[in-house]
Amino acid sequence: LGGTASGIFTVAGAAVNATWGGADGTTTRTLTYTIASGQNGQAAINETALKSALVAGITDTSGNAFAYSGDIPNIDSTALPVIDTTAPTVSSVLVEAGDHAVGDEVTVTITAANNEAGLTLSSKTFNGQTLSNITDNANGTYTATYTVVEGDSDVADAANVTTSLAFTDDAGNTGAATTSVALSGSSIDANSPGISSITVADGTYNVGDDVTVTINAAGNKNGLTLSSGRFNGQTLTESQETTPN
């Protein structure tokens, strides 16, 4: 016995190749099936094909052929495993609607192709952060939480978030990662506004004078609200936004 045998092992009823191992003059031979890509289904042993190979391939030192009749005992007492070489993939990713700011917890729903349940989200990076609270909803959808962290990328509605999202199944197959997700009806603002400079109008001021204080936002960011406005112990009034020249 030696070389390649076809048909002794089957997967989903189809013959697959296996390789004989062992040396002449010994009492043991091995037959090894190496799983190939694209082979899926119940593995089994074709007893008829195995007996034919043994009869054709074994002789004693005098040249007498191997003879065997009846069933091979215990050959199928333990079922062989189900072969799975199909890697699970991500079919869609939905991000919770709304404008999300620093500290917000955002629900991300990831759907597996063919609504496959029982998977592990083995790669789970979203906008630079690791997703948490991952839940298998047993219907092919998986929910997770993205917490917006100061310094993450700002992402406008309809723009793409950088991700790395991939599933692994029980057989150890890992699908290709989804590397970007387009937002729809949501946005991420992960950078709190800062103040770059403050200037006070020149002059000498007396009690009752109105003094103009100009506060410049970092990066000339507009659309902000002066949420805290105290100056020399007093609350600033008549706050308005102006566009820098």
Side-chain angles (χ1 to χ4, degrees), residues 5-16:
S6 178
I8 296 176
F9 278 110
T10 64
V11 175
V16 295

Side-chain angles (χ1 to χ4, degrees), residues 93-101 104 106-107 126 155-161 181-189:
V93 180
L94 179 65
V95 180
E96 179 184 349
D99 299 321
H100 308 298
D104 286 353
V106 184
T107 298
F126 186 94
V155 186
D157 188 16
N160 290 329
V161 182
V181 172
L183 297 183
S184 178
S186 61
S187 65
I188 299 170
D189 184 351

Side-chain angles (χ1 to χ4, degrees), residues 8-9 20 31 43-52 54 68 70-80:
I8 296 176
F9 278 110
W20 287 107
L31 184 61
I45 294 176
N46 184 325
E47 183 177 346
T48 300
L50 176 58
K51 286 193 292 186
S52 296
L54 295 176
Y68 196 94
D71 295 333
I72 301 176
N74 301 322
I75 193 171
D76 55 1
S77 60
T78 301
L80 271 63

Side-chain angles (χ1 to χ4, degrees), residues 194-208:
I195 295 174
S196 62
S197 64
I198 300 175
T199 58
V200 179
D202 291 340
T204 302
Y205 302 105
N206 298 313
V207 173

Side-chain angles (χ1 to χ4, degrees), residues 35 82-88 116 118-120 122 166-176:
I35 299 170
V82 174
I83 306 302
D84 179 4
T85 65
T86 302
E116 186 174 359
L119 303 175
T120 298
S122 51
F167 288 119
T168 299
D169 63 19
D170 287 342
N173 302 305
T174 299

